[in-house]
Amino acid sequence: MTRTAQRPLLFLDVDGPLIPFGATSRPHPTHETGPGTPGTGANPLLTRVNPQHGPRLAALPCELVWATTWMEDANAWIAPRIGLPPLPVVHWPEPSDADGADGQEEQEEQEEQDERDGLHWKTRALVARAAGRPFVWVDDEITDTDRAWVAVHHSGPALLHRVDPRRGLADRDYTAVGAWLRGVAGEA
């Protein structure tokens, strides 16, 4: 087995993969948690988080990283519901005062161009965070544009796995991601 620093990363979104949403022909399943679970009663969507995701995610041969707008709240509200320890969090770039007006304008222009091209706003940051390391990105908003951009700009293997947001992570998703991760580990 490879050391943790060598293991592939799995960038995990919350809304869609762990909290299913959107129209379905039947109501979304809900899951009970203990009375001390953070968020109980605070956010009704949290009842959609299936606690069985935790052990399944933990069993994957990778380093789990939150890649969500929930940011640190994912460790406070989601991780305890599914039995995961606190995970590293991708911090999304924001223009800083150190960049000055030119740096901020440049970043804004790049973001506008990415939006016109159909590139997801997370894509560049995830490739930068991976820094050539193999990674899986599990999200419900991934497109072929993101896949093409990563293929050109990321030097290591990458799997951009789109989850159906109406269902969230399902058996077929775990099968695909697990097979890819085992394949990458076999290459090492």
Side-chain angles (χ1 to χ4, degrees):
M1 178 173 229
T2 60
R3 294 178 297 126
T4 300
Q6 302 295 319
R7 295 175 77 191
L9 298 164
L10 189 150
F11 295 120
L12 182 61
D13 186 27
V14 170
D15 294 316
L18 296 179
I19 300 177
F21 63 89
T24 64
S25 59
R26 57 192 160 127
H28 290 285
T30 58
H31 306 276
E32 296 296 321
T33 58
T37 304
T40 301
N43 182 334
L45 294 179
L46 289 174
T47 63
R48 294 181 184 181
V49 178
N50 184 341
Q52 293 177 359
H53 286 308
R56 294 186 81 176
L57 289 164
L60 293 170
C62 61
E63 179 184 340
L64 298 171
V65 178
W66 293 120
T68 175
T69 56
W70 285 68
M71 306 280 293
E72 293 294 340
D73 286 343
N75 282 323
W77 298 74
I78 305 296
R81 296 182 81 78
I82 61 177
L84 290 178
L87 303 175
V89 175
V90 174
H91 293 278
W92 308 114
E94 293 182 31
S96 70
D97 295 333
D99 289 338
D102 290 341
Q104 184 173 353
E105 286 176 22
E106 209 173 282
Q107 182 175 344
E108 288 172 359
E109 287 174 17
Q110 184 63 62
E111 289 170 0
E112 289 173 9
Q113 183 62 48
D114 287 350
E115 187 176 330
R116 284 190 299 272
D117 294 343
L119 188 69
H120 194 284
W121 61 270
K122 292 180 183 178
T123 307
R124 287 179 185 273
L126 296 179
V127 168
R129 174 71 182 262
R133 218 167 136 183
F135 75 88
V136 175
W137 175 19
V138 176
D139 203 307
D140 62 303
E141 297 181 341
I142 295 168
T143 67
D144 288 339
T145 301
D146 301 302
R147 289 183 182 95
W149 194 91
V150 170
V152 170
H153 294 92
H154 181 63
S155 60
L159 172 65
L160 280 63
H161 185 80
R162 186 180 185 284
V163 172
D164 182 343
R166 296 168 299 173
R167 292 181 181 84
L169 276 167
D171 290 341
R172 66 181 169 270
D173 300 307
Y174 283 105
T175 299
V177 169
W180 187 89
L181 288 166
R182 286 188 299 280
V184 168
E187 294 174 8

